[in-house]
Amino acid sequence: METGKFFHNLMERKDFETWLDNISVTFLSLTDLQKNETLDHLISLSGAVQLRHLSNNLETLLKRDFLKLLPLELSFYLLKWLDPQTLLTCCLVSKQWNKVISACTEVWQTACKSLGWQIDDSVQDALHWKKVYLKAILRMKQLEDHEAFETSSLIGHSARVYALYYKDGLLCTGSDDLSAKLWDVSTGQCVYGIQTHTCAAVKFDEQKLVTGSFDNTVACWEWSSGARTQHFRGHTGAVFSVDYNDELDILVSGSADFTVKVWALSAGTCLNTLTGHTEWVTKVVLQKCKVKSLLHSPGDYILLSADKYEIKIWPIGREINCKCLKTLSVSEDRSICLQPRLHFDGKYIVCSSALGLYQWDFASYDILRVIKTPEIANLALLGFGDIFALLFDNRYLYILDLRTESLISRWPLPEYRKSKRGSSFLAGEASWLNGLDGHNDSGLVFATSMPDHSIHLVLWKEHG
């Protein structure tokens, strides 16, 4: 009896398989619309057991997790083609997706670079770079929404402040009240205050302060005692700019008498007077050269001096006599004035004019590019880096993305004290101009003297 039942069921199985084969052939011959109608009809005839079976198998067939199935290297290759915002959305799909995407170092490093952030390739922690990217998005959004900065004031001078110089979190101010003060920008506290002459220019280090004055002299002061240690006499006009180098034991000064003087820093004696300017010399810069040319080599010290129309380049070192290597200008007929600001990093010279921002290659002295901002004219230069430039006019502080040559942020400025020489305002921390890194967007951005003798500060707002 049992044997007969077995053969009866076996026959039923064979009949079913034959029927299924015939149905399959017929189903494959149908159009897509007919196939859909057939499936709809079969689903309507199915019970709970069949529907559950259908659901389980469909999930396996349709929801194949390719990130889980593919080798990790291949997953990383595919992820590189997605934009960062899409990647962040993909991180929400599942824990597995979030783990794989967050582990792709190259993806997040590339995303950070696209925002103008500096990348330390030695750090291979992918999760670190994802966090850096999220931080970068927030900061760039704040810049776009004009919410990245905050303001503060320094109060202490009793007369106009003409001279400002910033270094390592400290701001020096020189005033017509015959004093110079050194401020801790982070606390707003005055660290040192010494009696000086009227200051048109200042520069300092830990031990000393060097001042250029409207009384036509340059002086060197000791912070700790307030004593004047050197007095440099010889100019016949106000001294608008000073720079010095302890290694060379040299000080340079630019004056309203159209000359640049080179002094022995420790002895106070004049080593040379450089002539050729026909306007006030409003800026002098001492800097090591970083490129090779026919006229100089890497490591050579270079002196730049600028007036209203020209930038002159001089070799400087232990020799006393030197001749001008090159004179740069933006118009031969002197129809275009240079702004009284100058950037020189040993590789490039940058200066702004009414025509735009001019960048010269220091190796060839050729103009590399002229950056124009059609929407805003006559922007003055504050700082220039690999990624960003900091500019300003009478109303706003601007950040220019040098890769796209477009303005990406602005910040309103109060009615600050205007000066044709340009020394009554300055940029603060400059490293972020070469690319933000999550740490260098802090501290002072911009400082300017105000009509009420206070100092207006623009500072990076702390990360939220």
Side-chain angles (χ1 to χ4, degrees):
M1 193 71 181
E2 291 294 327
T3 304
K5 186 177 180 180
F6 172 77
F7 282 111
H8 177 71
N9 288 339
L10 185 63
M11 291 295 294
E12 283 185 350
R13 181 65 185 172
K14 285 184 177 180
D15 290 342
F16 171 73
E17 289 177 353
T18 302
W19 173 82
L20 189 60
D21 287 341
N22 292 334
I23 282 291
S24 298
V25 171
T26 305
F27 183 79
L28 291 172
S29 67
L30 300 177
T31 65
D32 285 339
L33 182 61
Q34 289 170 333
K35 287 177 181 178
N36 290 343
E37 289 182 9
T38 302
L39 290 174
D40 288 341
H41 182 67
L42 289 174
I43 290 171
S44 69
L45 298 176
S46 300
V49 174
Q50 288 75 44
L51 291 176
R52 190 179 302 110
H53 176 78
L54 184 64
S55 176
N56 291 337
N57 281 277
L58 281 176
E59 186 168 357
T60 303
L61 290 171
L62 298 180
K63 297 181 180 180
R64 306 192 77 177
D65 192 338
F66 70 91
L67 279 188
K68 188 175 181 180
L69 298 174
L70 288 174
L72 199 58
E73 294 79 7
L74 191 54
S75 295
F76 286 169
Y77 176 78
L78 293 174
L79 291 172
K80 286 192 293 185
W81 296 96
L82 299 179
D83 64 273
Q85 192 56 51
T86 301
L87 287 171
L88 289 176
T89 303
C90 290
C91 285
L92 302 176
V93 170
S94 67
K95 289 182 178 179
Q96 178 65 22
W97 277 44
N98 182 52
K99 182 179 179 181
V100 172
I101 294 170
S102 298
C104 190
T105 302
E106 187 178 350
V107 163
W108 296 111
Q109 286 185 336
T110 302
C112 291
K113 287 179 183 177
S114 71
L115 293 177
W117 282 54
Q118 296 182 55
I119 298 301
D120 181 358
D121 291 321
S122 65
V123 180
Q124 288 298 309
D125 180 5
L127 189 58
H128 164 80
W129 290 115
K130 182 186 175 185
K131 290 177 180 177
V132 169
Y133 176 73
L134 293 172
K135 196 174 183 180
I137 286 181
L138 174 61
R139 184 55 98 193
M140 298 308 291
K141 182 75 166 57
Q142 288 175 339
L143 286 172
E144 291 171 9
D145 295 342
H146 320 304
E147 296 177 350
F149 306 133
E150 57 190 6
T151 60
S152 182
S153 294
L154 302 176
I155 299 171
H157 284 292
S158 58
R160 64 181 179 175
V161 177
Y162 253 120
L164 301 171
Y165 185 81
Y166 177 80
K167 180 183 177 181
D168 299 334
L170 299 173
L171 178 67
C172 182
T173 56
S175 170
D176 278 356
D177 63 11
L178 305 182
S179 77
K181 296 183 184 295
L182 191 64
W183 308 83
D184 184 328
V185 171
S186 63
T187 64
Q189 298 298 309
C190 181
V191 180
Y192 286 115
I194 60 176
Q195 294 300 303
T196 61
H197 47 187
T198 58
C199 294
V202 292
K203 185 177 181 180
F204 71 91
D205 55 43
E206 291 180 0
Q207 284 78 38
K208 63 182 175 296
L209 165 69
V210 174
T211 57
S213 176
F214 293 107
D215 68 9
N216 306 346
T217 70
V218 179
C220 186
W221 314 80
E222 187 178 64
W223 280 121
S224 58
S225 65
R228 185 175 66 193
T229 56
Q230 284 294 350
H231 204 190
F232 306 83
R233 299 175 183 270
H235 280 297
T236 58
V239 179
F240 292 138
S241 183
V242 294
D243 202 354
Y244 64 86
N245 183 280
D246 288 309
E247 180 185 347
L248 296 176
D249 191 32
I250 279 179
L251 181 145
V252 293
S253 55
S255 169
D257 63 12
F258 305 168
T259 70
V260 176
K261 287 188 180 292
V262 183
W263 312 82
L265 180 58
S266 57
T269 54
C270 183
L271 302 176
N272 200 2
T273 299
L274 309 180
T275 60
H277 285 284
T278 55
E279 297 284 341
W280 291 359
V281 181
T282 55
K283 189 67 176 177
V284 290
V285 178
L286 263 178
Q287 174 69 42
K288 265 188 180 180
C289 175
K290 296 179 181 178
V291 292
K292 182 175 179 59
S293 79
L294 293 174
L295 301 176
H296 46 69
S297 302
D300 291 349
Y301 278 95
I302 299 294
L303 166 63
L304 263 60
S305 58
D307 64 29
K308 190 176 181 180
Y309 298 108
E310 296 178 335
I311 301 169
K312 290 186 177 294
I313 302 167
W314 315 80
I316 202 80
R318 302 192 184 280
E319 73 278 2
I320 294 176
N321 297 308
C322 60
K323 293 182 180 180
C324 181
L325 297 176
K326 187 74 174 178
T327 298
L328 307 176
S329 64
V330 297
S331 60
E332 293 183 4
D333 61 357
R334 296 196 164 199
S335 59
I336 304 298
C337 295
L338 298 174
Q339 298 277 3
R341 309 292 300 174
L342 186 64
H343 168 84
F344 178 49
D345 60 5
K347 296 185 293 184
Y348 305 109
I349 299 171
V350 185
C351 193
S352 57
S353 74
L355 293 180
L357 205 61
Y358 279 74
Q359 183 181 14
W360 286 270
D361 175 46
F362 193 60
S364 64
Y365 301 133
D366 291 335
I367 295 175
L368 287 179
R369 59 175 169 173
V370 181
I371 302 172
K372 298 183 178 181
T373 51
E375 64 272 30
I376 304 167
N378 295 319
L379 291 182
L381 175 69
L382 282 166
F384 191 91
D386 296 333
I387 305 295
F388 304 112
L390 188 63
L391 310 168
F392 76 113
D393 61 13
N394 290 339
R395 299 178 59 204
Y396 292 99
L397 189 65
Y398 300 93
I399 295 178
L400 176 76
D401 189 325
L402 293 169
R403 299 165 301 172
T404 60
E405 297 187 1
S406 59
L407 297 172
I408 62 170
S409 184
R410 71 179 189 183
W411 183 264
L413 296 176
E415 287 291 326
Y416 56 85
R417 181 183 292 283
K418 308 302 188 293
S419 168
K420 292 181 179 179
R421 297 173 299 96
S423 61
S424 59
F425 37 75
L426 53 67
E429 299 291 345
S431 63
W432 66 272
L433 296 172
N434 293 322
L436 295 161
D437 63 9
H439 303 288
N440 58 11
D441 52 341
S442 62
L444 184 67
V445 179
F446 173 80
T448 185
S449 55
M450 300 295 291
D452 65 359
H453 319 318
S454 67
I455 310 300
H456 178 77
L457 306 180
V458 177
L459 307 147
W460 282 102
K461 188 182 293 183
E462 289 189 14
H463 281 279

